[in-house]
């Protein structure tokens, strides 16, 4: 379990629901992969989108993620990462507090539900006769 210095996000990423972490600390999770990030000190865990960074001595995260994990900017975080499966990925999309992620995800879910409903309604006359 790595222990890294906690830094704030880059200026254009403030408020986004992502964490920047060097590839050697990502436990096999690819870039733009979603992983379960757990603070080993208090057990708080969160699903986050992972992006890369050149520095291997720091983890970059915005205020909201730091607050939920209860870690201070400038402090150190001992953490573990676990890649989430397909259901974890879908759950992250629809539960993300970032509207740029959750709104398109909900539109896709509603569109899929309407498509399935359309197929069922189309198949009913064929099945019932």
């Amino acid at each position: 379990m790595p222990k890294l210095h906690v830094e704030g996000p880059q200026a254009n990423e403030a408020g986004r629901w992502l964490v920047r972490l060097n590839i050697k600390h990502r436990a096999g999770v690819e870039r733009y992969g979603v992983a379960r990030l757990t603070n080993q000190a208090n057990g708080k865990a969160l699903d986050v989108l992972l992006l890369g960074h050149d520095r291997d001595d720091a983890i970059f995260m915005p205020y909201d993620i730091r607050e939920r994990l209860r870690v201070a900017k400038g402090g150190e975080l001992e953490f573990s990462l676990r890649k989430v499966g397909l259901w974890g990925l879908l759950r992250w999309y629809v539960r993300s507090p970032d509207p740029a992620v959750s709104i398109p995800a909900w539109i896709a879910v509603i569109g899929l539900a309407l498509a399935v409903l359309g197929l069922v309604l189309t198949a009913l006359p064929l099945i019932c006769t």
Side-chain angles (χ1 to χ4, degrees):
M1 288 175 260
K3 191 171 192 176
L4 300 176
H5 183 72
V6 177
E7 304 233 357
Q10 297 175 355
N12 61 343
E13 294 174 349
R16 301 301 309 256
W17 204 250
L18 61 88
V19 170
R20 286 197 174 267
L21 187 60
N22 189 285
I23 192 166
K24 74 181 196 180
H25 298 297
R26 278 194 261 158
V29 179
E30 65 280 351
R31 185 172 185 201
Y32 291 105
V34 175
R36 186 86 170 160
L37 175 65
T38 304
N39 182 346
Q40 295 299 318
N42 60 21
K44 298 290 181 185
L46 192 56
D47 292 341
V48 296
L49 178 73
L50 291 178
L51 291 178
H53 205 274
D54 290 333
R55 287 182 50 190
D56 63 355
D57 65 336
I59 183 169
F60 296 80
M61 58 181 71
Y63 173 80
D64 295 321
I65 293 177
R66 290 192 315 266
E67 282 296 308
R68 291 201 184 179
L69 292 176
R70 294 197 180 143
V71 62
K73 183 178 176 181
E76 288 194 338
L77 174 65
E78 184 175 1
F79 65 94
S80 65
L81 277 179
R82 179 181 52 88
K83 186 175 182 176
V84 298
L86 178 62
W87 292 114
L89 180 63
L90 294 174
R91 186 180 63 235
W92 178 81
Y93 275 110
V94 296
R95 289 184 178 176
S96 176
D98 186 352
V101 174
S102 63
I103 291 173
W106 276 109
I107 291 171
V109 167
I110 292 168
L112 179 62
L114 291 173
V116 169
L117 178 64
L119 287 173
V120 168
L121 291 176
T122 302
L124 275 178
L126 298 174
I127 295 171
C128 292
T129 56

